Amino acid sequence: LRALAAPGARARPDLARTAAEAQRTADPDIPHAPGWPEQRAATDAAIALLDAARADPGAAQGAALEALAEPLRGLAGAGFYGAGLGVALMSDLLAAGANRTAGRLAELLEPLLAQGAGAAMAAHPHMRAAAARLHAHDAAPARRMRAVLPPDLQAVPARPEGAADLSAPALFDALVVVCSTRAGLETRLPALRAGWLGALAELGVPHLVAVGGKRTQRRGEVLELAVPDTPGARPRKILALVDWVRRNTDAGHLIKIDDDCELDVAAVFRNQSYRAHAWYGRPVSVAPPPFEKLPRGLIHADGSTGYSLDRDAMTRLAEIAATPRGQWLTAGAYREDRLVGALLAEAGIAPGGTDYATACFRPPRPGGVAVAQGAAGFLPDVQGVTKVVHHGAARAATAARRVPGVLLPRRIWPTHAPPRLGPGSNAMQLLSSERRLAAVAGADCAVVAVTRNERAMLGHFLAHYRRLGVGGFLIVDNLSDDGTTERLLAEPDVALFSADTAFRDAVQGTDWKVALMAHYRVGRWTLVADADELLLYPGMERARLPDYLAGAAFADADAVRVHMLDMYPRGPLAGAALRTDPFAEAGHVDRDPFRRESLARGPFGDSPTWTSAVRHRLMPGARPEQFVTQKIALVKYATWMRFSTSLHYAAEIALAAPELLFAHFKYHAAFHAKAEQEIARGQYYNNAEEYRMYRDLLASGDGVIFDPAVSVAWRDCAAVRALMHS
């Protein structure tokens, strides 16, 4: 995964199969079916056999049968997949008039059917669906098969005779329904028709597009349902859809997908995991909207990445929805997938997610850039691992995605743990171009940063370091929703990544910072700075930072300690909007800005701990070791270095004698909102303990940090004067 997903990596067709297996095991939340390669091989062989039989129904198709025999035998221990596929294929052969080939297939299938326990086989969704299609035929091969099926499969209910154009081959036995709107018919459906809907038609799998309307009627591919095209009506819309499909088609499975999704047809239908489950999708349990009245803690198939229902599940869903309990649940529902979950829970039906790999790309804010979130898999490739892409952020790159041995989107992982997919993967998705990344990675001196909603300081941050002569910025954005992502993407010297893992689960972003240095900055000076930290060093008005670091004081060093100097305005925080010059608007500090009274020592050795005097002044009851100010923030990275949370401490480094300062612009007009936001997120140390203290402080005062007894202009601070004149 590292080799094929890394920015700049070349295609490796020889690793494609290995990469597919790696993808399947990299998300620990997805269960896997046995015999995954054999499933694909058996389905491909079955399709080839069926095509040959349709072309020449009277031929025996010996070679095609032999090609099918080996993968079917390989599936003997993989549930009832091989048996179900074979029985379904027999129905299609009989429908094509290839009775001779069907008879020979019966000889191949009898041992597989004999191996299965009767009760388990009769309860398996794939076997029930395949047997139902077989009952439509009375030729000798069909009778021979029925004779070896368990008795319960002889009584599978007959299906209604649906419209001929909505009947799929028994090999797939599905109807795909795209849930859309009347507006979506014009804006979204054309792209789907030009893309994956065409691949669906090549397999003979029918589809419909469901929209709201005044009355229920079908017009070609469009199914109008007597439900409004509004978000609040979606629960009723899915119930109307399920009821129409079960009454008007013979489909064994309804595959529901939204019009902002891309279905990988090969991944779904050539590894037919959907046939092993009554209800199939990506199982999730999400917090409902506060106004929704469905039970909490529901486990359901995520509607945003699609799901399928077999006929039994469709029937039970419709029956329960018609009960008083079902009507009460429907009235209290807002999300259609949670309603399906609540109704099927009443029937004791839980969703299965075997091999249901997905890739989700969503903009954190309306109109923003779509980034990987949650089910952060790869886009579909030739190996057919990812089944559904939600908000396919790179639909135009279809050709590139189909090159064997290429994984998109490009991403990297921290080097201290194996790469993972799915929620909490710690992966960083590259948003910028690979060319821009290469340029920044090769700079003599660069800045590494992690951002989230840094609009207030971003312009000052970029301008300050450009004045200092840095060669570019390597930035990981953690799902900003204030325009930070879009602003950074537009900057010519910023190589931008996106990470959706919770900030605290990445050791408060430390994993990402170190990963960027490990991948791109080994042996080069790198400043690790937050967006509210502006570096100060002697002679900065005259000397560029790369030139300063080329001095004799740093010749034998590979790291520099930098202290955060907390800056604040003279008046209320609300008056410091930082629109012009942060040093002018929030240019005061405590006269003695750092304390060394803490008893805490460094985690890697006997390292001193410096803390912020102003924060201890504001919160006198805090523990002595709180508010650490020092960071090993200027580093010539080597792979053996070790860093603590937020780079406050480091080991295996050669520390330079000079110590530098960060002008730390934490306190300004946006600080109160920032504190409330971080309290709600709970991502910082001890459930945002420090921000809770700030909230209480701000609530009890006038938002003024300046104290004439201890505050001075920053240039008059002794610590600053000692540094700037050293």
Side-chain angles (χ1 to χ4, degrees), residues 42 46 49 65 68-76 79-94 101-116 121 126-127 130-131 134 141-150 171:
L49 174 58
L65 274 167
L68 175 64
E70 183 177 352
L72 279 186
R73 294 189 189 103
L75 289 168
F80 298 103
Y81 182 88
L85 181 143
V87 173
L89 175 60
M90 179 173 289
S91 298
D92 289 330
L93 291 173
L94 293 172
T101 303
R104 295 189 61 181
L105 177 62
E107 298 173 3
L108 178 62
L109 292 177
E110 281 180 333
L112 289 177
L113 295 173
Q115 292 174 10
M121 180 181 287
H126 196 174
M127 290 303 305
L134 186 66
R143 294 195 299 271
R144 182 174 179 176
M145 278 296 92
R146 283 196 289 270
V148 295
L149 288 174
L171 197 58

Side-chain angles (χ1 to χ4, degrees), residues 465-480:
Y465 288 110
R466 285 168 180 158
R467 285 194 297 270
L468 298 187
V470 302
F473 303 82
L474 286 162
I475 297 179
V476 177
D477 185 70
N478 190 206
L479 302 183
S480 291

Side-chain angles (χ1 to χ4, degrees), residues 508-519:
Q508 295 186 21
T510 307
D511 280 353
W512 303 329
K513 297 170 184 176
V514 175
L516 289 177
M517 290 193 291
H519 280 83

Side-chain angles (χ1 to χ4, degrees), residues 470-703:
V470 302
F473 303 82
L474 286 162
I475 297 179
V476 177
D477 185 70
N478 190 206
L479 302 183
S480 291
D481 57 12
D482 70 341
T484 293
T485 311
E486 292 74 21
R487 166 72 184 273
L488 290 171
L489 265 179
E491 299 294 334
D493 53 356
V494 173
L496 183 64
F497 291 79
S498 174
D500 72 326
T501 299
F503 185 70
R504 62 170 175 263
D505 293 339
V507 197
Q508 295 186 21
T510 307
D511 280 353
W512 303 329
K513 297 170 184 176
V514 175
L516 289 177
M517 290 193 291
H519 280 83
Y520 303 113
R521 301 296 303 166
V522 173
R524 294 185 174 97
W525 282 112
T526 303
L527 178 69
V528 183
D530 293 339
D532 59 3
E533 296 173 342
L534 306 184
L535 185 70
L536 303 175
Y537 60 87
M540 55 185 293
E541 297 85 358
R542 302 178 303 278
R544 299 164 64 252
L545 181 58
D547 299 331
Y548 175 70
L549 293 172
F554 305 96
D556 297 322
D558 54 23
V560 181
R561 181 181 286 121
V562 184
H563 292 278
M564 292 184 291
L565 179 70
D566 286 327
M567 312 279 288
Y568 50 84
R570 185 181 184 90
L573 298 185
L578 305 187
R579 292 192 178 93
T580 55
D581 179 4
F583 290 93
E585 294 183 63
H588 288 79
V589 299
D590 276 19
R591 180 180 292 107
D592 297 311
F594 308 119
R595 292 175 46 165
R596 199 176 173 179
E597 292 88 0
S598 172
L599 298 177
R601 312 301 290 178
F604 304 119
D606 191 24
S607 175
T609 294
W610 294 87
T611 62
S612 169
V614 66
R615 294 188 228 182
H616 277 291
R617 172 167 65 84
L618 295 174
M619 292 166 279
R623 297 184 303 277
E625 74 276 8
Q626 278 193 280
F627 320 130
V628 177
T629 60
Q630 83 266 3
K631 290 184 174 182
I632 310 304
L634 192 51
V635 177
K636 188 181 290 185
Y637 184 80
T639 55
W640 51 78
M641 292 178 175
R642 290 184 294 162
F643 297 91
S644 70
T645 302
S646 299
L647 282 70
H648 288 310
Y649 306 92
E652 313 302 336
I653 59 172
L655 200 61
E659 296 186 352
L660 309 182
L661 294 176
F662 275 137
H664 185 210
F665 291 95
K666 186 184 189 77
Y667 305 110
H668 50 79
F671 179 67
H672 186 274
K674 170 78 169 178
E676 293 290 351
Q677 181 186 64
E678 295 306 337
I679 291 168
R681 292 178 68 224
Q683 298 292 310
Y684 280 90
Y685 173 74
N686 199 18
N687 197 25
E689 175 186 24
E690 183 177 341
Y691 283 103
R692 292 178 185 277
M693 294 179 176
Y694 284 128
R695 180 179 63 182
D696 295 342
L697 176 71
L698 292 171
S700 62
D702 55 6

Side-chain angles (χ1 to χ4, degrees), residues 21-299:
E21 291 297 334
Q23 288 181 66
R24 294 183 67 239
T25 58
D27 188 339
D29 296 328
I30 298 178
H32 303 294
W36 185 77
E38 289 80 8
Q39 286 188 33
R40 179 70 176 262
T43 307
D44 287 345
I47 293 171
L49 174 58
L50 183 57
D51 288 344
R54 285 169 173 166
D56 188 358
Q61 308 300 341
L65 274 167
E66 284 299 317
L68 175 64
E70 183 177 352
L72 279 186
R73 294 189 189 103
L75 289 168
F80 298 103
Y81 182 88
L85 181 143
V87 173
L89 175 60
M90 179 173 289
S91 298
D92 289 330
L93 291 173
L94 293 172
N99 290 28
R100 184 180 175 189
T101 303
R104 295 189 61 181
L105 177 62
E107 298 173 3
L108 178 62
L109 292 177
E110 281 180 333
L112 289 177
L113 295 173
Q115 292 174 10
M121 180 181 287
H124 196 272
H126 196 174
M127 290 303 305
R128 291 179 61 82
R133 294 294 292 264
L134 186 66
H135 291 340
H137 303 279
D138 196 38
R143 294 195 299 271
R144 182 174 179 176
M145 278 296 92
R146 283 196 289 270
V148 295
L149 288 174
D152 287 349
L153 289 182
Q154 302 292 338
V156 176
R159 298 180 185 174
E161 293 185 5
D165 63 329
L166 295 181
S167 185
L171 197 58
F172 306 117
D173 199 14
L175 170 66
V176 175
V177 178
V178 179
C179 287
S180 186
T181 63
R182 289 183 173 275
L185 293 176
E186 303 296 329
T187 59
R188 294 185 172 182
L189 264 296
L192 302 190
R193 295 188 188 103
W196 63 267
L197 287 178
L200 199 67
E202 291 177 5
L203 288 183
V205 178
H207 78 274
L208 290 174
V209 181
V211 301
K214 293 183 178 179
R215 61 191 181 93
T216 298
Q217 59 182 338
R218 180 190 168 199
R219 297 181 179 179
E221 70 167 349
V222 178
L223 173 63
E224 296 180 10
L225 299 166
V227 180
D229 259 340
T230 59
R234 287 172 185 162
R236 289 184 290 134
K237 186 175 183 179
I238 196 66
L239 294 182
L241 170 62
V242 169
D243 194 53
W244 189 94
V245 169
R246 75 183 187 91
R247 291 179 183 275
N248 295 278
T249 79
D250 69 348
H253 302 267
L254 161 62
I255 298 178
K256 172 263 176 189
I257 191 167
D258 292 342
D259 63 2
D260 59 359
C261 292
E262 176 184 356
L263 188 78
D264 189 300
V265 173
V268 171
F269 291 101
R270 290 182 168 166
N271 287 106
Q272 300 178 9
S273 295
Y274 70 95
R275 306 204 67 171
H277 303 278
W279 180 23
Y280 179 61
R282 186 169 71 96
V284 296
S285 179
V286 297
F291 49 82
E292 190 178 71
K293 298 180 181 178
L294 296 181
R296 294 322 192 231
L298 280 173
I299 297 177

Side-chain angles (χ1 to χ4, degrees), residues 381-468:
D381 62 11
V382 294
Q383 293 298 315
V385 176
T386 300
K387 287 182 164 57
V388 176
V389 180
H390 178 226
H391 278 287
R395 289 178 181 168
T398 300
R401 299 202 320 251
R402 300 297 175 177
V403 176
V406 172
L407 294 179
L408 295 175
R410 297 301 199 185
R411 50 167 65 105
I412 62 172
W413 291 265
T415 58
H416 63 71
R420 288 183 51 201
L421 298 175
S425 68
N426 234 356
M428 289 154 276
Q429 174 198 352
L430 178 64
L431 301 183
S432 302
S433 70
E434 295 180 47
R435 178 178 298 179
R436 181 182 299 179
L437 173 61
V440 176
D444 290 339
C445 183
V447 172
V448 161
V450 171
T451 59
R452 178 179 169 85
N453 293 344
E454 303 290 358
R455 186 172 54 186
M457 277 296 296
L458 196 56
H460 303 303
F461 173 80
L462 296 172
H464 179 82
Y465 288 110
R466 285 168 180 158
R467 285 194 297 270
L468 298 187

